[in-house]
Amino acid sequence: MALYNQQAPTRRKVFISYHHGNDQACYNEFSRVFHDQFELLTDNSLEREIDSGNFEYIMRRIREYHLHGSSCTLVLCGAATPRRRYVDWEIHASLAQNMGLVGIGLPTIQWTGPNSTWKPARLQDNIDTGYAGWTLWDQIIANPSLLISEIEASVQLRGVGISNHRPRMTRNE
């Protein structure tokens, strides 16, 4: 009788980018629901943690201490997320490292039309190219395997179709 080596699904390390001031409750719920599926990296506010005006230093800290070891960045998109420079910088650094990217529309997201939402511009650029995945909060809470599929699809692309040309935000809007 042959023994088959069945591997458990990869437990991905994912970096979570979100606006701490407005969306902490959603992050907490996300962490509660998905703690067994993913190793979540960060729930610290970079603005409080990194006290520096030096952009290159901040980007190095994001890469080395927050994104290191992650295969995908998840962007929790609420009403104020598109205005946050650190969210933009985290997306920029993730793309520069060819990480997967998936946006999640929170219940507080602003709708701009019947089927469109206001999200960080760099995220939208990559959704438009097909590099980044996009889903809504209610969908992943109802069906957690949907998020796993979005992450796996994004990670498989590994740099194909990345759009990271946009200037980085210099301040919160």
Side-chain angles (χ1 to χ4, degrees):
M1 182 166 123
L3 295 177
Y4 294 97
N5 183 10
Q6 290 184 341
Q7 291 182 330
T10 302
R11 186 169 182 245
R12 295 254 179 229
K13 291 181 182 179
V14 296
F15 178 80
I16 311 296
S17 181
Y18 65 101
H19 179 217
H20 296 261
N22 285 1
D23 302 322
Q24 187 66 48
C26 286
Y27 172 83
N28 293 344
E29 179 65 7
F30 182 90
S31 181
R32 186 188 70 74
V33 170
F34 291 100
H35 75 279
D36 288 340
Q37 285 89 358
F38 307 112
E39 183 177 337
L40 305 179
L41 301 178
T42 204
D43 70 343
N44 299 319
S45 173
L46 290 173
E47 290 182 90
R48 289 189 304 265
E49 185 177 317
I50 303 173
D51 184 22
S52 174
N54 182 317
F55 174 77
E56 292 306 322
Y57 170 75
I58 293 169
M59 291 302 287
R60 189 177 80 242
R61 294 283 303 213
I62 290 170
R63 286 189 308 271
E64 293 174 359
Y65 294 100
H66 298 280
L67 299 179
H68 182 73
S70 299
S71 56
C72 187
T73 293
L74 304 178
V75 184
L76 303 183
C77 298
T81 307
R83 296 185 190 101
R84 308 308 296 178
R85 69 180 175 160
Y86 278 102
V87 170
D88 179 60
W89 296 0
E90 291 162 353
I91 295 169
H92 182 277
S94 299
L95 294 171
Q97 293 181 204
N98 293 331
M99 292 171 55
L101 182 63
V102 177
I104 301 167
L106 300 178
T108 59
I109 198 165
Q110 292 183 8
W111 289 85
T112 58
N115 296 313
S116 61
T117 57
W118 188 49
K119 10 179 144 41
R122 194 176 309 277
L123 172 62
Q124 184 65 62
D125 291 346
N126 286 279
I127 291 169
D128 293 345
T129 68
Y131 184 74
W134 175 253
T135 189
L136 295 173
W137 177 263
D138 293 341
Q139 293 171 336
I140 64 164
I141 294 301
N143 182 7
S145 64
L146 175 63
L147 180 58
I148 294 167
S149 296
E150 287 285 344
I151 290 170
E152 291 305 316
S154 183
V155 167
Q156 296 306 312
L157 293 174
R158 285 287 182 204
V160 177
I162 285 179
S163 176
N164 208 12
H165 64 279
R166 188 178 287 276
R168 293 179 293 248
M169 290 176 67
T170 56
R171 58 185 168 76
N172 293 326
E173 297 174 2

